[in-house]
Amino acid sequence: MSRSRTRIMIGLAAVLLPSMHAFAQSTSIDERLTRVAADVFSRTDRADANIAELKSILAIDPRSAQAHMLLGIAYRTKGSSDLMGEAAGELRQAIDLDPSLIPARLYLSHLYLDLGRPERAREELQAALTRMPGQSQLQALLAESERQLGQPDGALDLATQALAANPSFAEARYYQGLALYDLKRRDEAIQAFEQALKDGGRRPEVYGSLGAAYLEAGRIDEAIATLTEAVKLDTARPQPMVALARAFRLKGQLARAEAALTTVRSLVGPTAVSAADQQILRDVYLEEGLIRLKQAKFDAAAQSLRKVVDLDPTYGPGYRYLAEAYLRQGLYARAQDQATRADKLGSPLPDDLQKTLQSKVRAPKGPE
Amino acid sequence: MIAPAARLPLCCALGLALAAGQKPPASSPRPARFADVTAAAKIAFVHRSGASPDKRMVETFGSGVAWIDYDNDGFPDLFFVNGAPGSSNALYHNNRDGTFTDVTARAGVAGAAAGDRVFKTGVAVGDFDNDGYLDLYVTALGPNTLYRNNHDGTFTDVTAKAGVAGAAERWSTSAGFFDYDHDGRLDLFVASYVDYRLDSNPYCGQKKDGYRMYCDPKIFDGTADRLYHNNGDGTFTDVSQRAGIANPAGKGLGVTFCDVDRDGWPDIYVANDTVRNFLYRNKHDGTFEDVTYAAGVGFDGNGKPRAGMGVDCGDLDGNGFPDLFVTNFSEELNALFMNRGDGTFDDKASAPGLRSAYLALGFGTKLFDMDNDGDLDIYVTNGHVIDNVKLYQPNLSYAQRDLLYENLGGGAFQDVTAQGGPALQVERVGRGLAVADFDNDGKLDVVISSVDRPAVLLKNQGGAGANWLTIQARGHRSNAFGLGAVVTAETSEGTQVREISNVASYLSASDTRLHLGLGRATVVKRLEIAWPGGARQVLENVKSNQVLVIDEEVRQ
């Protein structure tokens, strides 16, 4: 559940639109900006049209900070990785043209979190908070930045402060849940996620986080229902799909698990380059291996699990299950080797498997 | 292939034929052909990137190369920038017999002591103090250096006095001298890449042995380019903010100057990596306006930014207005923005013939008349930025072939690399590229710098029988080398409009002289030079096949 992409816009329009209206004068450019601003914050399906309109405004007024900001937001809404750098560029140009443009800093911070750069998000949010002390949206996002920087205690404090001003602030509640989860307070985290949904935060990342927490808590049916909702809301997001595959596997529905993994593969491609894609691909291979183990297809399982450790040599569970696959194949020396590595990485074989392996290793030489 | 009025029907017929999907004409009757004369010329420069297992991003960006006739003997000399900290740049004196001599140590431009964290990148050439001798500016990830020419084969580092070092950790890339305010003195534009720190170099790529890769610039913030105004007393003032070119979103790698709207004032075009390119229109008052959106030169046809690397401008279709060409990443086409003459451009990236660049990752580039037939052709040197790219994409390679495009007229080009000679079939990790007629034989030659490889000097052996004219401008009211002057040449084969500029390509600088291919014309009937500032000078019946020195007339 680390570094979940945050796209919550709940309540942002309420803050941003008045500031846009403040800029609205009688000229047609300002009218066009006001119109497109309303669209940008409410109609994600019109991203292409909004981008075209904003480019046309910038052709007339290239120094319009509002237009640059809205263009950056529209690019981010579109969600294409090709446009993330451009989105950041437009938002930074907007801030350069008008340093008091707080919404630009807020969206830029969201973007930095999307890009896995919480330290830059923190900088922008702190700069914004000096201009608007105590602003709850800024505080909430700063909470998430702190969490991603490995400071869940500070994150929890900030989220709680943001909630003090507005207890039904779904975004802050969600970030509170993430901080609680990182603090190993899973049941409280689940409650926070559930509350965020009740407060109107019906966003794919909230469903995704809640589903993953249910999964960890062994509440498989709830996990399947919640993750299915997450996937329905955003078909391009691979993480909840991997979690859903895991839930199906744990439920014994292996065909549905495999179908979910096939979808994930089509989203990521065979050569993951970014850290996020690599993690997803690793999880896909792990799930694949675990399905094969369950099907007693040990050779295929080992093949998939080898890909896990190949992709991430520091990932203990990969070695642990690979050891199991080798053990089931009767390749005891290899199993022992993988088990040792798993142990070093904090993912030891369960006692029963360990005992079995030890007895086999001590026994006269096997088929290897 | 000039487009004279008499041949217009043929030109139009060609355009129609191409539009109907027919093949363009086979090739120029005098195809360009290049021979690798590096060894014969006694050039032994080998670039050093400073490559390390840490895959510091700057290691893969290579360095530039410049033609600079530093001793005014009429034969362009060669300057290579070297990348790795502690590595030496190289200045080669042109011996006028096809060979060069390494004079780096005596010239004092090695730059090896720049610091153990300074990676040198690009080079600009211009006479900033108008003393008639060309000076050098070397950019870096780290402080930049301005070398003033002492007129005796040596240079002095005058960076501190001039105030053009830039921030200590800034990653400067391409740079160039131009007189943006027409005060007769060359100002300095420095493109700036991303906010990257050597001591916080993230791990990118898969975590397997051998899979670490250079990072994507998308994970770093852009940084603002800089414009330094020349105060005329050996110092410069940073006017970037006031001039309106300090966009922090920029990830500039290439820059070129040309008067895109033909209003007599130089405009700026910056090729940015993974974010939109910038076109700055000169407002004649010391400021610029970002007209990228209005002009339509920021993105590809789908509205996506490309990875801009090298850039050049020139009138490719003979309509009198400069077009823009930008080299891009693999699996992106190079951008070709054709200037309509009304402030807008058409992207003709997929013009006939240019699609062969799809898998190449282009860097240095130059638009020049390689076969002296009267139009501008295109040369691109290529090489991927990821040395282990095959592990990720087996269809791509680190070292790549250069690409040579013959201008067929009518907006069509032909990839003539295969006919360009064995030297063009060699794969290299091309980065810097610059052009000059180093032996004054009337044909433009090419020098290319490659990452961690020897540089190559390619002598042009094509264009047999075609005529040419090289112009060396000497400004007196304008800057001393006439940079920014617009030359209009009328011959029996048509009219060419060209600008005198050495600023283009990637991290590199070409000859300050202007070369015109004249085809069959033996005389330029009318040659007009519009100096920066507006003064016009006309020469008539200028003979071809000579290096013509034109002194700016100064009327009292």
Side-chain angles (χ1 to χ4, degrees), chain B residues 194-527:
Chain B
V194 294
D195 183 10
Y196 170 82
R197 308 294 161 94
L198 288 168
D199 50 12
S200 55
N201 180 48
Y203 188 103
C204 293
Q206 296 183 4
K207 291 173 186 162
K208 296 186 279 185
D209 273 354
Y211 276 71
R212 185 168 188 177
M213 59 162 31
Y214 294 106
C215 290
D216 187 323
K218 282 187 197 130
I219 69 169
F220 301 103
D221 283 329
T223 50
D225 302 321
R226 273 152 302 145
L227 178 61
Y228 294 102
H229 178 255
N230 187 336
N231 302 322
D233 59 359
T235 70
F236 290 77
T237 301
D238 186 340
V239 295
S240 316
Q241 282 290 344
R242 193 169 74 215
I245 61 90
N247 185 341
K251 299 180 181 180
L253 285 178
V255 65
T256 191
F257 313 124
C258 52
D259 181 5
V260 296
D261 50 2
R262 288 281 179 251
D263 64 352
W265 294 75
D267 309 300
I268 306 167
Y269 188 65
V270 182
N272 286 308
D273 192 1
T274 68
V275 295
R276 72 182 171 93
N277 301 323
F278 300 148
L279 177 59
Y280 294 111
R281 190 181 68 82
N282 193 323
K283 292 169 72 179
H284 315 173
D285 60 358
T287 70
F288 292 82
E289 181 176 36
D290 179 353
V291 295
T292 313
Y293 286 107
V297 292
F299 303 90
D300 71 8
N302 296 314
K304 285 188 178 173
R306 284 173 283 212
M309 309 288 177
V311 63
D312 196 6
C313 59
D315 181 11
L316 286 161
D317 59 357
N319 73 347
F321 287 85
D323 311 301
L324 298 165
F325 182 78
V326 188
T327 56
N328 289 315
F329 210 75
S330 50
E331 300 183 332
E332 294 176 338
L333 290 170
N334 293 324
L336 173 58
F337 295 108
M338 300 303 290
N339 192 332
R340 290 167 161 168
D342 62 357
T344 67
F345 291 74
D346 285 324
D347 188 358
K348 300 287 185 187
S350 53
L354 293 182
R355 295 188 196 98
S356 60
Y358 183 67
L359 290 179
L361 200 170
F363 274 96
T365 186
K366 196 80 185 89
L367 310 181
F368 66 98
D369 190 351
M370 62 176 125
D371 49 8
N372 282 335
D373 66 352
D375 59 18
L376 297 175
D377 310 297
I378 304 172
Y379 196 113
V380 182
T381 190
N382 302 294
H384 212 281
V385 290
I386 299 169
D387 55 350
N388 51 2
V389 67
K390 273 213 177 296
L391 296 175
Y392 290 89
Q393 282 186 274
N395 61 327
L396 300 179
S397 62
Y398 182 44
Q400 301 175 352
R401 282 192 316 154
D402 295 346
L403 286 166
L404 196 59
Y405 294 105
E406 158 74 7
N407 189 342
L408 301 176
F413 295 83
Q414 184 177 18
D415 182 341
V416 293
T417 315
Q419 294 89 59
L424 295 195
Q425 315 317 313
V426 174
E427 291 188 339
R428 51 185 134 255
V429 188
R431 295 293 187 263
L433 176 152
V435 165
D437 177 7
F438 78 91
D439 51 1
N440 289 332
D441 68 349
K443 286 169 277 192
L444 286 170
D445 311 298
V446 178
V447 63
I448 295 167
S449 177
S450 299
V451 177
D452 284 326
R453 285 164 166 76
V456 289
L457 176 61
L458 302 177
K459 180 171 162 52
N460 188 339
Q461 298 180 320
N467 298 305
W468 55 277
L469 178 67
T470 297
I471 295 169
Q472 174 156 12
R474 281 192 187 151
H476 296 290
R477 183 156 289 168
S478 305
N479 67 84
F481 285 79
L483 296 180
V486 178
V487 172
T488 305
E490 294 175 24
T491 72
S492 57
E493 301 217 337
T495 299
Q496 299 178 52
V497 184
R498 304 278 184 261
E499 291 182 44
I500 299 178
S501 172
N502 66 339
V503 182
S505 189
Y506 172 77
L507 306 177
S508 300
S510 290
D511 194 1
T512 53
R513 302 179 303 180
L514 176 67
H515 179 94
L516 299 169
L518 302 178
R520 285 165 303 205
T522 53
V523 170
V524 178
K525 290 189 286 187
R526 186 174 186 277
L527 186 73

Side-chain angles (χ1 to χ4, degrees), chain B residues 114-132:
Chain B
D116 59 3
R117 292 170 57 83
V118 176
F119 284 79
K120 301 177 288 294
T121 52
V123 56
V125 171
D127 180 8
F128 79 91
D129 51 1
N130 275 338
D131 62 355

Side-chain angles (χ1 to χ4, degrees), chain A residues 283-304:
Chain A
D283 292 348
V284 167
Y285 289 134
L286 181 70
E287 277 309 311
E288 200 174 71
L290 295 178
I291 289 170
R292 300 287 172 260
L293 271 178
K294 203 153 192 170
Q295 292 169 328
K297 295 176 178 172
F298 302 123
D299 189 35
Q303 211 168 44
S304 296

